[in-house]
Amino acid sequence: MDAINTDAARPVLEGPDIARVLTRIAHEIVERAKGADDVVLLGIPTRGVFLAGRIAAKLEEITGRKIPVGSLDITMYRDDLRLRPARTLGRTEIPGDGVDGRLVVLVDDVLFSGRTIRAALDALGDIGRPRAVQLAVLVDRGHRELPIRADYVGKNLPTSLRETVRVQLAEEDGRDAVLLGVQQTAPAGEQ
């Protein structure tokens, strides 16, 4: 991830905004899944895991049922492993009933090129065979390189390639915010 000067970045979503969009996403999931009986949420580390937990809590408030939630590490499925330095493996935690025949909602913080989601689909294929897979993201910033689209979007945020979107969540960063800033380094190929 490119560096972002958080002092110069402007917030486009703050804590209350994030809570509101996650509530909306939870309601949309219940509506599209007709009650969320067979829904499993899998967050993509790091911030997608926290968002999945928050959405699961909202779904439980709405439906009165505990929604299975887990995490899906995509590190070994990424197509840029040889281009970037080694990174720590995350955790994959699949709920006890698995994903076979279930509606799996992948949860991530920012949708950009689509490559992370492609890697998540590959990782998910090695774990089981869901009935269907949907995608929920806090921010969709455009610039897709693959034919991937989110089913649930908290905020569409058109950006230039020189801009950087940084999601901060209380569990990891001590506050909830989505920040829009300018990259400190030139994008790949423009150095």
Side-chain angles (χ1 to χ4, degrees), residues 25-37:
I25 287 172
H27 280 281
E28 289 174 2
I29 290 171
V30 169
E31 183 177 329
R32 286 184 73 181
K34 297 178 180 34
D37 289 336

Side-chain angles (χ1 to χ4, degrees), residues 43-46 49 71-76 87-93:
I44 299 171
T46 297
V49 174
S71 62
L72 183 64
D73 178 47
I74 61 155
T75 303
M76 298 310 295
R87 51 192 102 166
T88 306
L89 294 177
R91 292 183 56 149
T92 293
E93 295 179 5

Side-chain angles (χ1 to χ4, degrees), residues 106-145:
L106 297 173
V107 182
D108 203 6
D109 56 352
V110 178
L111 179 56
F112 183 34
S113 68
R115 293 182 182 278
T116 296
I117 303 310
R118 190 233 13 109
L121 292 169
D122 288 348
L124 185 58
D126 282 351
I127 291 167
R129 190 170 194 280
R131 174 178 62 76
V133 179
Q134 295 178 348
L135 175 60
V137 296
L138 182 60
V139 175
D140 183 345
R141 64 172 290 191
H143 304 287
R144 215 74 73 240
E145 296 172 3

